[in-house]
Amino acid sequence: MIRSTLIKELRELLRDGRVRISFFIVLLLIAVATWISKTQYTITNQQYQQADNEERAVWENQGEKNPHSAAHYGTYAFKPKYPLSLVDQGVDKFTGTSIFLEAHKRNEAQFSQAADQTGLARFGDLTPDFVLLFIIPLLIVFLGYNAFTKEREMGTLVLLKSQGTPIWKLILGKWLALFLPVFTIVFLLFIVAGIVLSNLENFGVFNWQSLGMLFLIYMGYYFIFINLVLFISLKMKKSGIALVVALATWILACLAVPKAASNIAESKHPYPTRQEFASNILQDQKEGLDGHDPWNKQAKLLEQKVLKEYKVDSLEQLPFNFDAYRMQKGEEHTAEIYLKHYKHLKTQFEEQSKLYRGLAVLSPFLPARFMSMAIANTDYATHWHFADAAENYRVELQASLNGNFAENSAYGEWSYRANADTWKNMPQFGYDPPELGETLTTNTSNLVILSVWVLGTFLLLFFTTKKL
Amino acid sequence: MYQFNSKYELKSLLRNGWIQLMTLLLLGLFLFAFYNGNEKVDKRKNDIQAAFNEVKESDQNMLILLDSVQRGMEVSASRWTIPTKPMAVGNYHPRVAAMNPGPLAFVATGQSDLFSHYIKPKASGDDMALNFTEISNPVQQLFGSFDLAFVIIYLLPLIIIAFTYNVLSSEKESGTLRLLASQPISMRSWVFQKMGIRLFWVVLMIGVVLILVSVIIPSGVNIVELLPVFGVTLGYIFFWFALAFAVNLWVGSSSKNAIALIGLWLVFVLLIPSVLNQMGNALYPMPSRTLMINEMRSAKAEATKKQDQILDNFLRDHPEYAINDPNQNRSFYHRYMASQQLVREELQPVVGRFEQQLQNQQQWISQLKWISPAIIVQQELNALAGSSTKDYENYRKQVTAFAESWRQHLLPFLYSNEPFSTDDYENLPEFQYQRLTSDTTLISIIALVFIALIGVILGFLKGVGSQSTEKFITQ
């Protein structure tokens, strides 16, 4: 019975002109979206490679220079694009792509793509994740809204009842008939994406496991929608009403709840403004050690402490350049202040994430969205990971520059110049995004919420209906 | 007949609870959207006020310091921060250049979640270092805001669709159409009347809800100022009703109508905007920001080389030593400001390219926005709220100009080696944001009504000729 229901339903779908058209449109959308994303991906990565190489060249060819001048001159950390951003662009558009690494200061990532776009871009981009997250659930609604209501309307329900088949077999047949077309489209997309990605040369690390996991997440997301749509079709008397209810569910889950969640998250756990953030840091710095200011109170204290430690009575007698030493201490102090303030930001971010997870009760879109971005390494957490890696590199670079200055010059010798080779010997910034396993561990809660949704809707569909 | 029709419609709409449900739904959505918009505007106002207060406080300190120095007293501040030095005023006491929200700012978030609303440009900072973007959780930007614009552009059409998709088909499906066909009225004018009654109710309810909500949530905006928003919304409502009218006559069963209307919603609200955006990007591609950094770096490196001496290099990073060194007292900032000027001039075309491309894209949208009423409404509401791309571009330009006048105001002190004094404090330039006004509102409303008329005409074209009523019944 499951098989014959499946075959009958599929045949009906195939014969329906509307279904053929919408199927075709979705395939076309996916093809266009993938092509656009692929082109963008290749261009962005070429630019990244070029910028990264040129910046390194600029850094290495500074010539003879005081190490601290080099520190102020600084360098850039560029964020690469990851292979799976082909499938899900996530928040990439809204985060900056380059961080300026200089002395005394932790900078935010600069130049987000969205800031360079017009207001039209806020309607959304034609990307695979748009089709996967919004359009395919809508397709499910269109294909399945009348799965049971049509039997009722055409009077075939009576015939079905007379067969004496258990309801779950009937439901399962219809379920499979809805699932197969969706599976085919998405499977095709992922296979094409996988082939495209594994044929691109030397761009990041692509592995099939991540792609497979991403596929599973989307399948789970579609399970939920198929279950809900069929459930609605079971409970409603008329096709028209079933359609309206199913659409309302889609609007609520995909549009309304995420937007409302964003407003609530923003107002409950707000970030400081950029200027506020900067002036808070400045305030903390004023009270601490200023590496540049020998007359600063903290600097005086440090001076006495070091003199005592080395048992000498003037800074000239120290075995290293005290100016550079003080600067390094100041650097460490500022790094701590930055750490404290960024920690505050991070707490706000985590609170907001918690709120999103809480509101996921109302919308399966939220956990699916977050999981998808996380696996594609295009989520906000990955951005933090990158920014933290850049900050660690900056702190190390400052330490080795100040170290060079302290060891190779005497107190007050500001005219010291490190030789031209120094810069080549400094390590280069490299960044690896979190691995799949790590991502899954940090996102367990979203995974759990998604699974609960899948299970819950399956139970709802198969166990709440005793008779048609 | 018209009277009967409207009386019957009203009764049936009230009896099956449609009107009640819709009023509640609209009231709830508008309330939530108003609340969210207001909250954002309040935060923005408070942030700006806090910034002004902070400057006021630091100005008080500055004046006290100035006074002490002028009276020849010893002061405890670091020497290079003492405000008799004009550059200390320029760098440590910058003014707030704020973009105050307009009266309708709560209507549309637009681009306002991307950018800062106040900036403090310093005298020695270069314009490239002015970061106009705001720090925020990008997830919020990705999801967008639940504001009035969202309710109007996305949800209102869906509510209208739910309200109208089966005006004709439900009569057919319940068999009452045959009875109606016996009445002396053409099918088209009958559907038109039914639609007209529903349109009247939706418009009335939105009017009432708008007034009610602005009373419940006091946003300091008066009803008259809301009129343009109401006008644009009305035009948009007309459009969707006209579309529903045409679909009701041209398509068939209730579900087919609903699918056709949702399909159109998808096309107008989601697909056309993103395709146009994509095409705009392809036609006027933004140059790469990462590559721009390379250019900026080499321009700066060049400028640095021109400042020959290593001491200069060093002193540029360490203004405090420049002051300690009596020989360098004048030449450090002299050279530095000069080289900054050079870098700015050299980078102007690089930075200009971005603004130019953005303008080109904006131009492209203004030409093609007529394809989708959703875009017309979005652009118009953003413009009314003062949160459109153009508004932020305008703000950026004004701030850059202000940064220049701030520098130019202080440079004479620097070059003539004149100390900054308490008397000069009064003359410091202040930033005043000049808001753009939207002059396209009327055109937009007319365009929307015009597009709606096309829909109505399309509907009336169906079944022109003999036996039209019969076609509807047997279809």
Side-chain angles (χ1 to χ4, degrees):
Chain A
M1 189 65 194
I2 298 173
R3 213 172 128 232
S4 42
T5 319
L6 173 64
I7 290 167
K8 177 240 164 204
E9 287 287 324
L10 281 180
R11 216 170 259 162
E12 255 181 30
L13 284 179
L14 270 177
R15 282 184 192 151
D16 192 335
R18 280 174 292 157
V19 173
R20 280 205 300 264
I21 290 174
S22 41
F23 207 78
F24 176 72
I25 291 174
V26 171
L27 269 181
L28 188 77
L29 280 180
I30 284 191
V32 173
T34 315
W35 179 74
I36 292 172
S37 293
K38 193 218 142 206
T39 327
Q40 229 170 25
Y41 174 71
T42 329
I43 293 173
T44 316
N45 259 326
Q46 269 162 1
Q47 287 169 346
Y48 160 76
Q49 294 282 357
Q50 193 187 338
D52 206 36
N53 292 338
E54 279 182 26
E55 181 53 41
R56 185 63 189 178
V58 165
W59 170 259
E60 284 180 358
N61 297 319
Q62 291 184 89
E64 286 192 0
K65 213 181 213 177
N66 183 297
H68 193 61
S69 283
H72 271 283
Y73 186 64
T75 185
Y76 273 86
F78 294 106
K79 190 175 162 194
K81 225 164 165 50
Y82 305 110
L84 283 180
S85 68
L86 184 76
V87 179
D88 190 346
Q89 303 264 5
V91 297
D92 264 8
K93 186 167 112 171
F94 299 99
T95 55
T97 47
S98 49
I99 299 181
F100 183 41
L101 311 170
E102 58 173 335
H104 318 307
K105 237 180 131 192
R106 173 171 183 171
N107 291 305
E108 275 282 294
Q110 261 180 308
F111 303 128
S112 73
Q113 204 191 331
D116 278 335
Q117 286 180 321
T118 64
L120 195 60
R122 305 307 291 277
F123 274 109
D125 289 323
L126 194 54
T127 51
D129 59 284
F130 169 69
V131 180
L132 287 170
L133 285 161
F134 292 93
I135 304 295
I136 291 188
L138 197 61
L139 183 74
I140 293 174
V141 170
F142 282 173
L143 296 185
Y145 74 95
N146 62 355
F148 291 99
T149 46
K150 70 179 173 199
E151 307 279 359
R152 210 183 289 271
E153 279 161 2
M154 290 188 299
T156 41
L157 200 64
V158 190
L159 286 174
L160 269 176
K161 275 183 186 162
S162 70
Q163 300 281 321
T165 13
I167 299 174
W168 69 267
K169 281 191 176 171
L170 198 66
I171 299 178
L172 191 60
K174 300 226 181 219
W175 192 93
L176 284 174
L178 200 49
F179 176 66
L180 270 181
V182 172
F183 177 82
T184 319
I185 293 183
V186 180
F187 192 68
L188 265 177
L189 167 73
F190 275 76
I191 290 291
V192 170
I195 290 169
V196 167
L197 285 174
S198 42
N199 283 324
L200 287 176
E201 274 164 41
N202 62 33
F203 284 146
V205 263
F206 164 68
N207 65 40
W208 283 89
Q209 280 110 303
S210 297
L211 192 72
M213 193 60 214
L214 204 57
F215 182 73
L216 285 183
I217 296 292
Y218 279 107
M219 283 303 124
Y221 181 54
Y222 301 143
F223 285 169
I224 299 168
F225 268 95
I226 295 174
N227 293 346
L228 286 176
V229 168
L230 286 182
F231 178 72
I232 290 166
S233 187
L234 255 176
K235 294 290 162 193
M236 295 298 146
K237 294 229 156 47
K238 281 186 185 164
S239 294
I241 308 281
L243 181 59
V244 170
V245 174
L247 277 174
T249 313
W250 177 77
I251 293 159
L252 206 69
C254 298
L255 288 175
V257 172
K259 277 183 198 277
S262 124
N263 274 94
I264 298 169
E266 186 69 44
S267 73
K268 281 244 155 129
H269 309 284
Y271 272 20
T273 65
R274 184 181 291 286
Q275 310 287 335
E276 238 171 47
F277 188 63
S279 74
N280 288 345
I281 289 169
L282 204 69
Q283 201 57 45
D284 274 8
Q285 272 173 339
K286 265 186 196 160
E287 284 150 21
L289 173 72
D290 184 342
H292 271 319
D293 186 355
W295 305 282
N296 178 293
K297 198 174 145 204
Q298 293 292 329
K300 285 279 173 219
L301 286 176
L302 180 74
E303 208 177 295
Q304 281 156 17
K305 197 184 132 219
V306 171
L307 286 178
K308 217 170 170 186
E309 201 175 309
Y310 283 84
K311 300 194 175 83
V312 288
D313 30 60
S314 79
L315 294 172
E316 282 80 2
Q317 290 169 327
L318 287 170
F320 50 80
N321 183 345
F322 181 74
D323 280 330
Y325 179 80
R326 185 185 58 229
M327 219 129 54
Q328 177 53 26
K329 286 292 156 200
E331 197 64 60
E332 284 164 18
H333 177 68
T334 14
E336 255 169 54
I337 294 175
Y338 275 106
L339 194 68
K340 174 186 145 196
H341 286 270
Y342 274 88
K343 219 177 215 164
H344 172 66
L345 276 193
K346 216 179 257 181
T347 330
Q348 292 302 84
F349 154 55
E350 271 154 16
E351 290 296 322
Q352 292 179 350
S353 304
K354 244 185 243 165
L355 205 137
Y356 281 119
R357 285 197 290 272
L359 285 167
V361 181
L362 297 174
S363 161
F365 174 90
L366 289 173
R369 191 23 146 175
F370 284 116
M371 276 317 294
S372 164
M373 291 196 290
I375 293 172
N377 281 327
T378 52
D379 64 339
Y380 191 33
T382 309
H383 184 73
W384 267 108
H385 195 253
F386 167 75
D388 287 345
E391 172 66 4
N392 287 340
Y393 173 75
R394 186 187 76 86
V395 170
E396 276 166 31
L397 187 70
Q398 293 309 320
S400 74
L401 286 169
N402 283 329
N404 179 306
F405 194 9
E407 277 165 31
N408 300 315
S409 61
Y411 178 62
E413 192 188 344
W414 283 97
S415 57
Y416 161 72
R417 292 197 256 174
N419 64 33
D421 284 343
T422 318
W423 323 120
K424 286 197 184 86
N425 299 330
M426 302 265 162
Q428 196 165 353
F429 174 66
Y431 172 67
D432 287 316
E435 305 260 321
L436 178 63
E438 208 182 321
T439 313
L440 292 180
T441 343
T442 45
N443 283 286
T444 338
S445 47
N446 274 322
L447 214 52
V448 169
I449 295 168
L450 198 66
S451 318
V452 169
W453 263 102
V454 174
L455 269 177
T457 49
F458 264 121
L459 290 178
L460 191 71
L461 179 65
F462 282 96
F463 292 101
T464 55
T465 313
K466 292 280 175 282
K467 75 180 194 28
L468 285 175
Chain B
M1 183 68 196
Y2 180 74
Q3 225 179 359
F4 281 125
N5 204 354
S6 57
K7 216 189 240 168
Y8 166 76
E9 269 301 301
L10 178 60
K11 264 189 190 157
S12 72
L13 284 175
L14 273 173
R15 280 207 189 125
N16 60 25
W18 256 115
I19 288 189
Q20 293 90 321
L21 180 72
M22 217 164 112
T23 319
L24 278 179
L25 195 63
L26 281 175
L27 193 67
L29 290 173
F30 274 73
L31 259 177
F32 188 52
F34 255 72
Y35 174 78
N36 287 332
N38 243 344
E39 191 143 295
K40 277 203 170 95
V41 173
D42 279 346
K43 180 167 190 298
R44 181 167 156 188
K45 280 184 188 156
N46 291 338
D47 287 342
I48 291 175
Q49 196 49 50
F52 273 113
N53 291 344
E54 202 188 311
V55 166
K56 214 184 213 169
E57 220 170 276
S58 101
D59 277 2
Q60 288 306 323
N61 289 335
M62 172 173 89
L63 286 172
I64 292 169
L65 266 179
L66 271 178
D67 194 53
S68 313
V69 174
Q70 278 164 8
R71 283 193 279 148
M73 282 157 65
E74 190 79 4
V75 288
S76 64
S78 305
R79 287 186 226 177
W80 63 93
T81 62
I82 292 174
T84 44
K85 313 253 180 249
M87 283 300 114
V89 178
N91 289 331
Y92 302 113
H93 300 280
R95 305 291 99 184
V96 179
M99 187 187 185
N100 283 310
L104 290 175
F106 66 92
V107 171
T109 306
Q111 302 285 79
S112 70
D113 54 349
L114 294 175
F115 299 108
S116 297
H117 293 109
Y118 66 98
I119 281 177
K120 297 194 248 175
K122 291 177 180 157
S124 70
D126 53 60
D127 296 342
M128 291 298 302
L130 284 181
N131 197 339
F132 284 93
T133 51
E134 190 53 272
I135 34 170
S136 68
N137 183 344
V139 175
Q140 267 90 281
Q141 295 161 342
L142 178 71
F143 287 168
S145 180
F146 200 114
D147 53 7
L148 205 58
F150 167 69
V151 174
I152 292 170
I153 296 170
Y154 288 78
L155 300 184
L156 206 53
L158 293 169
I159 294 175
I160 294 172
I161 290 172
F163 201 38
T164 55
Y165 74 101
N166 61 356
V167 164
L168 177 62
S169 52
S170 68
E171 303 278 354
K172 196 171 7 184
E173 277 149 16
S174 61
T176 43
L177 194 64
R178 280 173 191 282
L179 280 174
L180 271 165
S182 66
Q183 302 294 323
I185 183 173
S186 94
M187 199 53 65
R188 282 166 281 144
S189 12
W190 176 74
V191 176
F192 189 71
Q193 279 178 18
K194 277 185 88 138
M195 282 287 178
I197 292 153
R198 281 161 205 244
L199 173 66
F200 171 76
W201 276 108
V202 172
V203 171
L204 186 77
M205 272 186 283
I206 286 184
V208 170
V209 163
L210 266 182
I211 293 168
L212 216 67
V213 168
S214 42
V215 169
I216 298 174
I217 300 180
S219 55
V221 65
N222 61 41
I223 303 292
V224 182
E225 279 172 319
L226 267 176
L227 274 182
V229 178
F230 189 61
V232 174
T233 313
L234 228 58
Y236 195 52
I237 293 175
F238 280 155
F239 165 75
W240 282 104
F241 264 97
L243 214 57
F245 174 67
V247 166
N248 257 293
L249 289 170
W250 280 89
V251 188
S253 68
S254 298
S255 347
K256 272 188 188 167
N257 286 351
I259 289 186
L261 282 168
I262 295 294
L264 287 169
W265 177 83
L266 209 62
V267 167
F268 284 120
V269 178
L270 293 179
L271 285 183
I272 293 182
S274 65
V275 169
L276 278 189
N277 179 39
Q278 211 77 55
M279 285 169 78
N281 285 341
L283 284 174
Y284 308 103
M286 271 291 159
S288 161
R289 284 284 187 187
T290 31
L291 297 185
M292 183 198 79
I293 291 172
N294 289 150
E295 282 181 61
M296 194 180 82
R297 297 283 278 171
S298 33
K300 281 191 180 169
E302 271 308 300
T304 316
K305 265 182 204 149
K306 283 176 197 157
Q307 288 186 310
D308 46 347
Q309 300 288 323
I310 189 148
L311 194 60
D312 287 347
N313 275 341
F314 174 70
L315 288 175
R316 194 195 60 234
D317 304 329
H318 301 270
E320 68 275 20
Y321 294 105
I323 294 161
N324 285 338
D325 186 340
N327 300 323
Q328 295 292 329
N329 196 9
R330 274 187 70 180
S331 69
F332 162 68
Y333 263 125
H334 189 277
R335 284 182 203 181
Y336 177 66
M337 296 305 277
S339 78
Q340 277 300 100
Q341 192 65 37
L342 189 82
V343 171
R344 252 198 307 280
E345 277 162 19
E346 267 177 28
L347 286 177
Q348 191 46 48
V350 181
V351 182
R353 275 205 320 255
F354 288 88
E355 293 284 336
Q356 188 53 47
Q357 279 310 60
L358 198 63
Q359 271 170 22
N360 286 341
Q361 290 190 3
Q362 192 59 46
Q363 189 68 30
W364 152 264
I365 295 164
S366 347
Q367 280 161 3
L368 291 171
K369 69 177 177 188
W370 312 111
I371 301 177
S372 162
I375 304 178
I376 303 180
V377 175
Q378 190 229 28
Q379 300 277 314
E380 201 47 61
L381 290 183
N382 282 355
L384 286 170
S387 60
S388 69
T389 313
K390 262 191 197 157
D391 288 297
Y392 285 93
E393 198 189 313
N394 170 41
Y395 173 63
R396 276 200 294 276
K397 279 205 180 117
Q398 288 184 26
V399 172
T400 315
F402 175 73
E404 186 57 31
S405 64
W406 179 245
R407 256 192 304 274
Q408 294 306 332
H409 183 81
L410 293 165
L411 280 185
F413 290 95
L414 177 71
Y415 287 121
S416 57
N417 214 8
E418 204 179 290
F420 187 83
S421 72
T422 32
D423 300 334
D424 300 316
Y425 173 73
E426 301 282 298
N427 303 326
L428 283 177
E430 288 287 330
F431 178 81
Q432 196 62 48
Y433 174 58
Q434 301 296 330
R435 205 173 293 134
L436 291 177
T437 47
S438 170
D439 47 6
T440 52
T441 316
L442 200 64
I443 303 174
S444 299
I445 296 175
I446 294 171
L448 286 169
V449 173
F450 181 73
I451 300 173
L453 278 181
I454 297 179
V456 174
I457 294 169
L458 269 179
F460 269 107
L461 279 181
K462 169 72 179 179
V464 170
S466 60
Q467 296 172 331
S468 55
T469 314
E470 196 177 311
K471 265 194 219 158
F472 285 116
I473 297 171
T474 52
Q475 194 178 40

